[in-house]
Amino acid sequence: MDILQILSNTLAQILSPTTIGFVLAAIGLAVHFGFTGLLNMGVAGFMAVGAYGFAISILTFGLPWWLAALIGIGAAVVFALILGIPTLRLRGDYLSIVTIAAAEVVRLLFLTTAFKDVTGSADGLSGFHTGFRASNPLPQFSGNAGFGPWSYSRDQWWVIIIGVAVVIVTVLFVWALMRSPWGRVIKGIREDEDAVRALGKNVFSFKMQALVVGGVIIALGGIVTAMGTNVNPNVYVTSQTFYIWTALLLGGAATIFGPVLGAVLFWVVRAFLSNLLPALVNIGALPFLSGEQAQMLVFVLIGIALMLLVIFRPQGILGNRKELTFVK
Amino acid sequence: MSSDATAPVSRPKTTGLHVGDARPGVPKVDPIIVADGVRRQFGGLTAVDVEHVEIPRGAITALIGPNGAGKTTFFNLLTGFDKPNEGTWSFDGKSLSGVPAFRVARLGLVRTFQLTKALGLLTVLENMKLGATGQRGERFWSSFLPFAWRRQDAEIEAKARELLVKFKLDAKAPDFAASLSGGQRKLLEMARALMSEPKLVMLDEPMAGVNPALTQSLLDHILDLKDQGMTVLFVEHDMHMVRHIADWVIVMAEGRVVAEGPPDTVMKEQAVIDAYLGAHQDVDLGVVTGRVAGEHTTAEAELLEEIEVAADVEEGEA
Amino acid sequence: MTHASTTTVLARRRRLGTVLIALAGVLFALWATMNGPVAAHAAEGDPYRVSGNVQLEGAPLEGVAITVDGPGGPQTVETDADGKWAVAVPERNADYTVTLDESTLPEGIAVVDESGEDTTPNVKEVHVGPGGRVSVNFFIGEGERHTTSFFDQLVERIINGLNFGLMLALASIGLSLVYGTTGISNFAHAEMVTFGALMAYLFSVVISLPIWVAIPIAVLLSAAFGYLLDTGLWRPLRRKGLGVVQLMIVSIGLSLALRYVFQMFIGGGTIQLPGSAPESLNLFGSVRLTWVDLTSMGVSIVVIVAFALWLQRSRIGKATRAVSDNPSLASASGIDVDGVVRVVWIVSGALAGLGGVLWAYFRPGIKWDMGSSILLLIFAAVILGGLGTAYGALIGSLIVGVLVEVSSLWIPADLKYVAALVILILILLFRPQGILGRRERIG
């Protein structure tokens, strides 16, 4: 068992496009759930809308990558409006079921063979990175460059730079929002929307704004992921949503840095276990498991971690002890 | 605020509010709210059926009645938190039918809730600042531009702190509202409502769950509202308090207005006695509704059964 | 009609699709005429042309019906004595669907597919380019007709849908009861469904008991599983005072963990229960059902009726309804709420387990995520009927079941769940309390 290799693989995960996409999705979900109290269980749907909006705009309509990214964002806005108009007036748990259903509808629409020409059906979409990679301003180099476990190709570095920049801008954006009077209303709605309504605030409008803002951030997560990898419908399943929830609750739902920390930790631990457990099986330390079962054990542990988090530390790592995020 | 807050004060009552005899639906000299034919049904149960009622301006009006009389439902209807099956009502001459709750509040009609809705995970000061209307920083795009709202926010904060001092909550300003006692939350809710400079304040059971030590201070605050030119409408069970501060009393029973008048005369009316003492004279309603701990007597058990039957009927008809 | 087979099923689905599109076209044309300027209405003098030739081994076929659909709405023509046909269309640079009605061909022949890939060779998509003219030819030969009666198809779908709906009902009644009595939106209910199927597999295949012994054991174990979940997890959490949102997320974590535990045991593939590929019976026309389908429906109906009687008549059933209605009032009137909730978990575990066994036969096969693949349909059924009402869940399930099956007559099979989910969203928009729910429940 090569413990150094395992650690190196684990640390390399921190800067992967998937992790950066997760960080953004978790920040968006923090806006929805942590700050506004919206039970969005359709995170994967928002990510899919962003990623597919981006990829389809390039492949089918031949748009430049930055315009395609804007289209992905626009698609998320539309998706948020479609979801929000019927459900934001309803009780919270209805929103959760509608969003989970809508995300599933989106995935099935991307998966069906009926639109194979545009969506690629089960194969997903690939080969849309040319324009994005061509815009890379980094000096030419061949092979990988970097230090320690963070050694990537020129194309990968470009994704990482864009991704990290988007994360920084988003964190500043959410921080500015939440310290403003707008954020005060949003947090008030989380606590008790009737009270806020009685104070003359248009609660529906504020919730809609929060849904759109968070949805756009989540879609950015999908777009950044798509910049680094192919787009595949099997990624945007409900489990993906649940993993993002786990990441968010791990870090602290009602905090600015909680989702960043939570998402990075989630992937670091997941990568560590995915490398460690099969290695332990190989050296015979887990006699009852096969290598494949060891991989499944990782997901069992994620599920258990989610339960324990919610039961024993619902405010997450960074959350204020007094400031429980679950109001009702 | 009055200096003799510790002793029961008797400030002058406002009189001469109505035109003609005091009877249900009597016209007022200067009504602020006029409601006509407001009816609300839940399943087969009619919770509110108010033919005509007017709330006098610049006075303290109490809305009383036994449990289940529809007082809170009527409150919800007037403030846009619930929609009636039919009926019209106006506030300050403007029709409020179909107007959403937040717009009602912006028109100057604010309310508090029976179960206090202090926003627990906001600080007391944030709770207060939330109460101010017309904040520039609450608009999405300008929220990113602190220079656009900073000065207004400072003014709001100054006003909030002033009110907090008045309500003796200033020491609590940086604490989470969740850390306040029940009575303090009631005070906070009332103070928060005043941030919007309302014309009419509607208080739903302001005394429920309040420590007796705070009762007098709350009463004074309500009387102060009138002195500042606001109209007050409140729901209350405590007859002593009603007699003490109300200028006008409206009695509801089974969804209807059964009597109206100044507090000292209306309490003596047969309709009011019937409404209160008719069916369940030996029942402590507090015990039945679970607000007060206690063993159920036979009579209370009977009432509970009746309620269940009513619920069954409702279910059957829904 | 005697040529029923999978290909014809697919063919008919596509045909119906075109019919529906045609209908939409007609409606659109109607709408267009009522709204002033007629932009794209097919007329004799239209400038562009879709035409073709229908021949059998060089000999022209007369009187064959061809329908052209696209901008301007559907138009039907018959081939002339030379086997030729032509339709004037209003727009170029547009797509049209050309359908040959095989029932108008002489006996024994059909449109054949030259590539062997197209399941509906009698339907062709054509593009009228800038030239404004296109010709479409069908290859006619001896082959299987792509027509069967719509009615038979519909009946078969409805019966399948009822079967599926009854199966869903077993799962959704439990979910609804749990929601009604505890307020938990239990996402791990899906895994209770899978659990039942797995236990049936364990006892019928691994331990080799007869299936009629294995299924009752599986149901009993599922009931025990429900009891265990309540005692070991949910009751302590209720005591701890967790909110409904927290409980929901705990159930999500539980769902994930259980799902992968199942996968650790049976892997990612599909395993079969005994007798899962039975002979089918011909009921009438081309409507076919298997013994398993019939048994499954019979069992579901018996169990649901028994459950309804229990809920209506027994003391504990009445108490369950009381707790569902108003937990604090029920508690105040001396009902042992914890006891009722325990019974609800046991019943809902048993029903879900049985539902899982039937679902394993319906799919067919057992898979680690078989429960979660229908979880949203279960939620849809429960919400459709009204959250927290047991009878609502039954009606909701039947509607969802029939809807899913019947909708696949018109929409691609891989989108059939979409119809149910869209209906779920629409229901929440227009009648959020569901069919049997009370409006005042909505906060």
Side-chain angles (χ1 to χ4, degrees):
Chain A
M1 184 166 84
D2 184 355
I3 195 79
L4 279 178
Q5 186 58 44
I6 290 174
L7 284 177
S8 166
N9 287 350
T10 301
L11 292 175
Q13 184 71 44
I14 294 177
L15 285 181
S16 85
T18 319
T19 306
I20 298 173
F22 238 66
V23 168
L24 287 165
I27 297 174
L29 183 59
V31 172
H32 283 164
F33 173 70
F35 291 107
T36 323
L38 299 173
L39 280 172
N40 175 12
M41 285 286 161
V43 182
F46 277 101
M47 287 187 90
V49 164
Y52 273 95
F54 176 69
I56 290 173
S57 301
I58 294 173
L59 286 175
T60 306
F61 301 104
L63 298 178
W65 68 271
W66 53 270
L67 190 56
L70 286 180
I71 299 230
I73 291 171
V77 172
V78 172
F79 188 54
L81 292 174
I82 291 173
L83 276 185
I85 289 167
T87 51
L88 287 182
R89 294 180 202 280
L90 299 174
R91 217 167 44 184
D93 44 354
Y94 280 79
L95 180 72
S96 67
I97 290 166
V98 169
T99 45
I100 203 172
E104 205 48 14
V105 167
V106 163
R107 186 180 70 89
L108 289 171
L109 286 175
F110 288 133
L111 185 63
T112 176
T113 49
F115 312 121
K116 192 172 179 26
D117 294 346
V118 179
T119 62
S121 188
D123 301 333
L125 296 170
S126 56
F128 51 84
H129 299 102
T130 324
F132 175 71
R133 285 175 185 160
S135 67
N136 189 344
L138 294 175
Q140 285 290 345
F141 61 84
S142 58
N144 285 358
F147 50 93
W150 299 287
S151 180
Y152 302 101
S153 70
R154 182 169 173 269
D155 288 342
Q156 285 169 324
W157 273 116
W158 181 220
V159 180
I160 291 168
I161 289 168
I162 292 276
V164 170
V166 172
V167 168
I168 291 171
V169 170
T170 307
V171 164
L172 288 173
F173 173 89
V174 174
W175 172 76
L177 260 183
M178 291 309 160
R179 65 192 274 277
S180 75
W182 188 87
R184 194 158 62 213
V185 178
I186 286 297
K187 286 182 249 178
I189 290 171
R190 177 189 69 196
E191 303 295 305
D192 190 321
E193 59 176 80
D194 272 348
V196 177
R197 199 170 280 137
L199 295 173
K201 320 289 179 197
N202 186 348
V203 168
F204 178 77
S205 161
F206 277 101
K207 279 161 88 175
M208 185 60 97
Q209 291 168 31
L211 188 68
V212 170
V213 170
V216 164
I217 297 173
I218 296 172
L220 276 172
I223 293 169
V224 168
T225 314
M227 284 173 176
T229 57
N230 295 337
V231 175
N232 192 299
N234 295 329
V235 172
Y236 303 106
V237 291
T238 29
S239 308
Q240 173 88 342
T241 300
F242 299 158
Y243 299 148
I244 291 164
W245 269 87
T246 311
L248 175 71
L249 294 172
L250 180 65
T255 60
I256 303 284
F257 288 106
V260 180
L261 177 71
V264 170
L265 262 183
F266 176 88
W267 274 104
V268 164
V269 172
R270 183 169 156 181
F272 180 68
L273 289 176
S274 306
N275 280 287
L276 178 74
L277 292 179
L280 287 177
V281 169
N282 279 343
I283 61 165
L286 296 171
F288 301 106
L289 295 180
S290 69
E292 222 173 296
Q293 285 172 324
Q295 290 291 357
M296 294 163 198
L297 187 59
V298 176
F299 294 100
V300 175
L301 292 175
I302 290 173
I304 293 173
L306 177 57
M307 291 166 71
L308 295 178
L309 260 176
V310 179
I311 297 170
F312 295 109
R313 202 176 163 85
Q315 73 271 36
I317 295 172
L318 294 185
N320 187 326
R321 205 163 249 294
K322 277 187 252 169
E323 191 172 353
L324 294 171
T325 53
F326 295 92
V327 186
K328 285 149 207 162
Chain B
M1 197 188 195
S2 59
S3 53
D4 51 353
T6 46
V9 280
S10 48
R11 298 192 216 181
K13 292 281 173 82
T14 311
T15 49
L17 295 165
H18 58 295
V19 185
D21 288 340
R23 58 188 157 75
V26 60
K28 306 296 183 308
V29 177
D30 183 11
I32 188 161
I33 282 187
V34 180
D36 273 298
V38 176
R39 204 160 55 77
R40 176 71 169 102
Q41 288 179 311
F42 294 105
L45 234 63
T46 303
V48 168
D49 188 3
V50 171
E51 223 163 82
H52 180 85
V53 77
E54 298 181 5
I55 311 291
R57 188 192 304 273
I60 300 180
T61 304
L63 187 58
I64 65 169
N67 255 29
K71 305 179 297 286
T72 296
T73 311
F74 190 51
F75 248 54
N76 288 344
L77 293 172
L78 288 183
T79 47
F81 278 83
D82 193 1
K83 286 189 174 56
N85 300 74
E86 56 187 75
T88 56
W89 66 105
S90 65
F91 169 69
D92 231 2
K94 285 181 282 284
S95 171
L96 286 189
S97 317
V99 177
F102 75 92
R103 263 187 231 285
V104 172
R106 284 184 197 169
L107 287 173
L109 197 173
V110 301
R111 67 169 295 182
T112 65
F113 294 85
Q114 191 174 346
L115 300 166
T116 31
K117 292 184 183 296
L119 305 168
L121 302 185
L122 265 59
T123 64
V124 169
L125 184 63
E126 280 176 324
N127 260 281
M128 292 296 291
K129 288 166 86 174
L130 194 57
T133 49
Q135 298 191 40
R136 281 190 283 277
E138 286 179 2
R139 269 177 262 148
F140 181 75
W141 294 112
S142 45
S143 70
F144 293 104
L145 311 168
F147 61 84
W149 47 263
R150 184 123 322 134
R151 195 143 58 94
Q152 191 195 27
D153 204 52
E155 284 163 17
I156 290 169
E157 184 164 333
K159 185 169 152 198
R161 288 191 186 278
E162 203 177 299
L163 271 169
L164 284 176
V165 171
K166 211 165 163 187
F167 280 79
K168 297 206 173 71
L169 287 170
D170 45 325
K172 292 278 187 186
D175 296 354
F176 282 130
S179 67
L180 299 183
S181 73
Q184 286 173 320
R185 287 184 204 189
K186 288 269 180 198
L187 284 173
L188 173 61
E189 213 184 351
M190 201 187 295
R192 192 176 62 195
L194 298 184
M195 285 295 291
S196 64
E197 292 171 355
K199 292 182 209 154
L200 170 62
V201 183
M202 291 175 56
L203 308 168
D204 197 350
E205 300 206 23
M207 294 299 159
V210 174
N211 177 341
L214 270 175
T215 313
Q216 192 54 47
S217 139
L218 253 170
L219 286 181
D220 283 328
H221 285 304
I222 296 173
L223 287 165
D224 284 346
L225 297 182
K226 183 172 86 168
D227 293 348
Q228 289 159 21
M230 283 173 245
T231 306
V232 179
L233 175 65
F234 71 102
V235 169
E236 191 47 67
H237 278 295
D238 182 345
M239 287 309 128
H240 178 71
M241 170 188 167
V242 170
R243 216 179 296 250
H244 188 57
I245 63 167
D247 302 312
W248 190 260
V249 177
I250 296 171
V251 188
M252 283 182 78
E254 291 169 348
R256 296 165 190 278
V257 174
V258 293
E260 266 192 66
D264 36 348
T265 56
V266 79
M267 304 282 196
K268 297 183 188 113
E269 274 190 44
Q270 194 56 41
V272 180
I273 297 165
D274 284 350
Y276 269 89
L277 306 179
H280 302 289
Q281 51 205 4
D282 47 352
V283 175
D284 182 344
L285 287 165
V287 176
V288 173
T289 53
R291 277 193 298 132
V292 181
E295 288 294 309
H296 289 292
T297 62
T298 352
E300 280 152 11
E302 272 169 25
L303 175 58
L304 257 178
E305 231 162 77
E306 251 176 71
I307 295 170
E308 275 171 68
V309 169
D312 275 346
V313 168
E314 191 188 341
E315 189 181 18
E317 294 185 14
Chain C
M1 265 167 234
T2 44
H3 302 288
S5 76
T6 16
T7 49
T8 62
V9 170
L10 284 170
R12 244 169 312 155
R13 212 173 276 160
R14 282 282 281 277
R15 246 172 85 85
L16 283 161
T18 35
V19 169
L20 201 72
I21 293 167
L23 198 69
V26 172
L27 287 175
F28 178 77
L30 207 66
W31 177 81
T33 34
M34 292 193 312
N35 281 276
V38 183
H41 188 57
E44 203 57 45
D46 281 333
Y48 310 110
R49 203 155 296 271
V50 180
S51 59
N53 219 330
V54 181
Q55 292 179 330
L56 176 63
E57 287 160 345
L61 291 173
E62 194 184 354
V64 179
I66 306 277
T67 304
V68 177
D69 194 16
Q75 304 176 67
T76 299
V77 291
E78 288 189 357
T79 51
D80 61 17
D82 296 324
K84 288 196 172 120
W85 60 272
V87 170
V89 291
E91 284 182 26
R92 58 179 167 175
N93 298 321
D95 289 318
Y96 293 87
T97 308
V98 183
T99 309
L100 186 150
D101 184 355
E102 291 186 306
S103 63
T104 57
L105 288 173
E107 278 294 305
I109 58 168
V111 180
V112 291
D113 171 24
E114 65 273 38
S115 67
E117 281 167 15
D118 191 354
T119 51
T120 55
N122 63 321
V123 180
K124 284 189 193 290
E125 311 283 352
V126 295
H127 182 76
V128 178
R133 270 162 207 280
V134 73
S135 72
V136 184
N137 289 311
F138 291 97
F139 293 80
I140 310 289
E142 297 199 5
E144 209 167 65
R145 252 335 137 71
H146 298 91
T147 55
T148 19
S149 126
F150 170 70
F151 179 74
D152 282 3
Q153 194 70 47
L154 187 67
V155 169
E156 195 171 303
R157 291 275 138 195
I158 289 175
I159 294 176
N160 264 332
L162 286 175
N163 188 6
F164 185 45
L166 285 167
M167 189 279 297
L168 274 181
L170 292 176
S172 56
I173 288 171
L175 184 74
S176 186
L177 276 182
V178 166
Y179 180 87
T181 49
T182 66
I184 304 173
S185 308
N186 181 22
F187 281 73
H189 199 75
E191 278 54 50
M192 294 168 77
V193 170
T194 315
F195 182 82
L198 280 176
M199 289 302 111
Y201 177 81
L202 176 66
F203 285 93
S204 66
V205 177
V206 181
I207 304 187
S208 303
L209 291 175
I211 188 72
W212 54 270
V213 180
I215 291 177
I217 294 178
V219 171
L220 283 179
L221 284 174
S222 302
F225 188 47
Y227 171 77
L228 206 73
L229 283 177
D230 183 47
T231 317
L233 182 67
W234 300 116
R235 189 138 44 106
L237 292 186
R238 276 202 303 281
R239 293 262 161 81
K240 200 170 147 66
L242 260 68
V244 289
V245 172
Q246 266 167 298
L247 290 173
M248 180 175 102
I249 297 172
V250 170
S251 84
I252 287 173
L254 179 66
S255 161
L256 275 179
L258 284 176
R259 213 183 295 173
Y260 283 97
V261 167
F262 295 157
Q263 201 188 357
M264 285 172 76
F265 282 102
I266 64 167
T270 302
I271 50 180
Q272 295 293 346
L273 286 174
S276 55
E279 291 280 302
S280 58
L281 307 168
N282 221 334
L283 287 192
F284 61 89
S286 63
V287 178
R288 300 169 80 83
L289 275 180
T290 65
W291 278 115
V292 170
D293 290 334
L294 291 174
T295 318
S296 165
M297 286 167 87
V299 168
S300 308
I301 291 170
V302 168
V303 169
I304 288 168
V305 167
F307 166 80
L309 287 175
W310 172 79
L311 194 64
Q312 209 66 44
R313 301 272 171 82
S314 75
R315 219 178 66 80
I316 189 95
K318 282 180 189 164
T320 305
R321 282 188 298 144
V323 174
S324 248
D325 213 47
N326 188 340
S328 46
L329 192 63
S331 170
S333 34
I335 293 175
D336 171 16
V337 175
D338 261 354
V340 167
V341 168
R342 191 183 315 126
V343 172
V344 161
W345 275 102
I346 293 171
V347 169
S348 107
L351 290 176
L354 179 62
V357 175
L358 301 184
W359 175 223
Y361 278 110
F362 189 86
R363 292 183 67 227
I366 297 171
K367 211 165 164 243
W368 61 286
D369 64 348
M370 62 184 277
S372 48
S373 70
I374 51 165
L375 180 69
L376 283 180
L377 294 186
I378 296 173
F379 268 115
V382 169
I383 288 181
L384 197 59
L387 265 176
T389 61
Y391 299 122
L394 171 62
I395 294 173
S397 301
L398 292 177
I399 294 175
V400 167
V402 172
L403 189 80
V404 163
E405 286 296 316
V406 173
S407 69
S408 60
L409 284 172
W410 291 283
I411 59 178
D414 54 5
L415 285 181
K416 65 180 178 183
Y417 287 1
V418 169
L421 298 179
V422 168
I423 291 284
L424 163 69
I425 295 170
L426 290 180
I427 279 282
L428 284 176
L429 181 54
F430 294 110
R431 199 180 153 81
Q433 70 273 32
I435 297 169
L436 293 186
R438 259 187 282 156
R439 184 146 172 246
E440 279 61 44
R441 278 256 173 92
I442 309 308

